[in-house]
Amino acid sequence: MCGIVGYVGSKEAAPLLIEGLKRLEYRGYDSAGVATLSNGAFTVRRSPGKLSNLIARLEGVSTPGTTGLGHTLWATHGRPTEGNAHPHTDCTGRIVVIHNGIFENFAERKASLLAAGHRFTSETDTEVFAHEVEAAFEGDLLAAVRTAVGRLSGAYALVVSSSEEPGVIVAARSGPPIVLGIGSGESYVASDPVALAPWTRDVVFLEDGDLARVDAAGFSICDADGRPLKRVPHRILWDAVAAEKWGYRHFMLKQIHEQPTALAETLGGKISLATGELSLESELLAPERVAAFDRVLLLACGTSWHSALIGKFLIEGMARLPVEVDYGSEFRYRRPVVDAATLTIGISQSGETADTVAALSEARRAGSPLLAVVNVAGSQIARMADAVVATHAGPEIGVASTKAFTTQLAVLYLLAAKLRESRGLGKGLTPGETAALAHLPKAASRALATEPRVEDLARQFHGARDFLFLGRGPHYPVALEGALKLKEISYIHAEGYPAGEMKHGPIALVDENLPVFVLAPHDNWREKTISNLREVKSRDGIAIVVTTREDAEIADAADEVLRLPETSPELQPILSVIPLQLFAYHVAVRRGCDVDQPRNLAKSVTVE
Ligand code: AGP
């Protein structure tokens, strides 16, 4: 999951490339590099580690040229050294390449290129591509790239430039995303529109198999055989400002605090708070289509998979349709039983997660209609689906997903109500449900108000070695999410578990050193959850109870209590996760971790 950016125009490319890379660093921060072309020669500057190392390296040295490529790496081949950093060049230095993806057959291609006399300087798969272009180059870069992509298999988003064809860059896509940015007298290429926000909001998304020849005047797109293709430009809704920190110390903290607005924006236009009428206008959700579905399949990865687990509760509970949930990475390799009577819903913040994309393609191949719940308009999952119900969380820059999770839950709630309506089990939302949704953004603000208390708990427990999170029903996935947030950004081992399952094993972990978050809101599962809380106490575990009503039972068994506003049981997970997000954040800050760019992770996982 690397970040790639390219520029061709009349301005000095290097400063623009760096600005673009700053906005893409969430995609990978193992090394970074730029290459610019001037007077027929490339200047290549690379550095291991964060982009800040490269920026320091560029100080006081010239990197001339109005054509350039920039890259941030999430290492897949070889250690994140300067030698393995992109851009990579061919033997002559006349071809430079940046790449996001993995070439599966690079070793075999490398062997035949070595046999043909090519010399390699890195351990990467990408460098092989530079030599393939060199071998195929006869004066036309686009033609050489078309030949080279034909020789390598795997996933790729590539940008290539040649000193033999100044003022031109060629992009190619198969899998990871690439957008072309439309400027006047200049053109851009990037992995994600957010990188281009300071300069343009008009972009064209390349599709799988597309190649583009880009120069200052614009671009032409063709397929692997050179046949011209037309792609529709998109105007990106949010601007550069939305991708700023607004004075927050970290993007993650900003995004946690944006949840009330993100929820209001996500609900806006989808329900009438006056009548409870739903307006999820999609032919796929019309009664006659829904009548043909005998089950729903939810596919996702990571935090989005946790949303899917809660989606199962909501859809089965409200629409009485059986729901199956699967990991994208698992679904694509098991021989799933799916057909046209299965409504498949893909959930993804980025809309580019390779495992989810592949799983959805598998479901589609089996004839299942696809609905996408995504946060990035124009993303691959949005474009491959038959219908999209978007979350409007705005750009999510911090690697740990927060506002995307809560807005996904809000959309899944509306989808459950829509399926219920289309199955003739009730028109729109009841007055009680509408009222609960209308109050949701405010309730989320009140949940955020627990922050000082949460910060205090983080001060007390940031030194703990392990954590356990317990919940029942829809709060079991919230427990999973709480554990994931803590693992992701503080590197502490944490497990989420169905509270009822604890006695079947994990209770062996419980002692006076283990903090245990017990999610016990006032719902159907509360009584049983309190008996699990007592099991924790009977082994001296440190019980931190997240609840909506404090009573003697809880006061008696809990060491710490976090009191949250109460809403309907279906919507309560949206509030319950907020203090867990804040806890993970403050523990990570206290441990000096890099909250927005945790080690080994990347925001959008675009390779398998
Ligand atoms: C969550 O904090 C992680 N960033 C990760 O688990 C993420 O949820 C997963 O990679 C799925 O991403 P998506 O929602 O963009 O598809």
Side-chain angles (χ1 to χ4, degrees), residues 34-37 40-44 46 69 86-98 118-119 121 126-145 148 158-166 168-170:
V34 292
T36 54
L37 177 61
F42 282 107
T43 306
V44 180
R46 306 183 295 178
L69 313 181
H86 299 211
H88 286 287
T89 61
D90 66 327
C91 298
T92 65
R94 286 197 292 260
I95 306 275
V96 293
V97 173
I98 53 175
H118 287 259
R119 297 176 315 285
T121 59
T126 304
E127 188 190 357
V128 174
F129 189 81
H131 293 273
E132 290 286 10
V133 176
E134 175 189 2
F137 191 77
E138 292 163 356
D140 175 345
L141 183 61
L142 176 60
V145 172
L158 286 162
V159 183
V160 189
S161 185
S162 163
S163 56
E164 312 284 294
E165 223 172 310
V168 170
I169 52 181
V170 169

Side-chain angles (χ1 to χ4, degrees), residues 293-301 304-317 320-328 330-339 341-347 359-360 362-363 366 368-369 371 412 419:
F293 299 139
D294 60 13
R295 77 190 160 115
V296 172
L297 170 64
L298 301 176
L299 296 173
C301 300
S304 297
W305 182 75
H306 295 152
S307 306
L309 292 175
I310 297 174
K312 175 179 171 72
F313 275 94
L314 297 172
I315 295 171
E316 288 189 346
R320 308 308 293 147
L321 255 178
V323 176
E324 190 189 331
V325 176
D326 209 342
Y327 283 115
E330 284 298 315
F331 180 83
R332 61 185 299 188
Y333 290 114
R334 70 175 170 85
R335 291 182 53 243
V337 181
V338 175
D339 57 25
T342 306
L343 169 62
T344 297
I345 301 179
I347 306 171
L360 292 172
E362 191 65 31
S368 171
L371 186 147
L412 288 164
L419 289 167

Side-chain angles (χ1 to χ4, degrees), residues 236-301:
I236 298 299
L237 298 175
W238 26 266
D239 60 16
V241 178
E244 299 301 335
K245 272 195 202 139
W246 295 355
Y248 284 92
R249 190 167 162 198
H250 295 101
F251 279 111
M252 182 180 178
L253 187 62
K254 175 200 168 205
Q255 287 153 195
I256 291 173
H257 282 273
E258 280 180 317
Q259 292 181 102
T261 319
L263 287 164
E265 306 240 332
T266 296
L267 294 171
K270 295 188 180 78
I271 57 162
S272 147
L273 291 177
T275 63
E277 199 189 326
L278 288 160
S279 32
L280 295 181
E281 296 325 322
S282 154
E283 171 273 324
L284 200 49
L285 298 171
E288 57 282 6
R289 289 297 306 273
V290 172
F293 299 139
D294 60 13
R295 77 190 160 115
V296 172
L297 170 64
L298 301 176
L299 296 173
C301 300

Side-chain angles (χ1 to χ4, degrees), residues 14-265:
L16 277 135
L17 298 173
I18 293 296
E19 195 47 41
L21 290 178
K22 280 184 188 158
R23 295 160 183 282
L24 290 174
E25 203 178 9
Y26 67 84
R27 302 175 68 87
Y29 24 89
D30 288 326
S31 68
V34 292
T36 54
L37 177 61
S38 110
N39 302 330
F42 282 107
T43 306
V44 180
R45 309 245 185 247
R46 306 183 295 178
S47 182
K50 288 192 173 270
L51 182 62
S52 50
N53 298 348
L54 178 68
I55 292 170
R57 171 112 209 259
L58 293 180
E59 251 144 48
V61 295
S62 80
T63 314
T66 58
T67 298
L69 313 181
H71 186 272
T72 57
L73 179 86
W74 190 85
T76 54
H77 292 75
R79 300 192 53 67
T81 60
E82 181 179 340
N84 287 334
H86 299 211
H88 286 287
T89 61
D90 66 327
C91 298
T92 65
R94 286 197 292 260
I95 306 275
V96 293
V97 173
I98 53 175
H99 171 216
N100 175 18
I102 292 179
F103 288 124
E104 316 280 354
N105 66 336
F106 83 101
E108 149 216 336
R109 291 303 310 154
K110 185 171 181 175
S112 81
L113 288 159
L114 278 166
H118 287 259
R119 297 176 315 285
F120 287 79
T121 59
S122 80
E123 302 160 79
T124 68
D125 55 335
T126 304
E127 188 190 357
V128 174
F129 189 81
H131 293 273
E132 290 286 10
V133 176
E134 175 189 2
F137 191 77
E138 292 163 356
D140 175 345
L141 183 61
L142 176 60
V145 172
R146 279 179 34 223
T147 306
V149 288
R151 296 209 176 120
L152 281 156
S153 63
Y156 58 81
L158 286 162
V159 183
V160 189
S161 185
S162 163
S163 56
E164 312 284 294
E165 223 172 310
V168 170
I169 52 181
V170 169
R173 174 196 184 155
S174 176
I178 285 200
V179 294
L180 308 180
I182 302 165
S184 70
E186 53 198 356
S187 301
Y188 312 86
V189 177
S191 302
D192 183 327
V194 76
L196 307 179
W199 309 297
T200 181
R201 292 163 62 188
D202 299 313
V203 300
V204 166
F205 291 87
L206 290 189
E207 301 283 354
D208 276 349
D210 288 4
L211 295 108
R213 184 183 183 286
V214 182
D215 59 27
F219 46 78
S220 59
I221 303 173
C222 67
D223 65 13
D225 303 320
R227 280 185 295 268
L229 292 169
K230 278 251 161 294
R231 296 293 178 220
V232 185
H234 289 252
R235 165 149 271 241
I236 298 299
L237 298 175
W238 26 266
D239 60 16
V241 178
E244 299 301 335
K245 272 195 202 139
W246 295 355
Y248 284 92
R249 190 167 162 198
H250 295 101
F251 279 111
M252 182 180 178
L253 187 62
K254 175 200 168 205
Q255 287 153 195
I256 291 173
H257 282 273
E258 280 180 317
Q259 292 181 102
T261 319
L263 287 164
E265 306 240 332

Side-chain angles (χ1 to χ4, degrees), residues 301-304 347-351 353 356 399-401 408 484-485 488 602-603 605:
C301 300
T303 286
S304 297
I347 306 171
S348 174
Q349 187 287 126
S350 61
T353 301
T356 308
V399 166
S401 187
Q408 284 165 356
L484 178 63
K485 290 284 94 77
E488 278 190 277
K603 182 68 188 167
V605 185

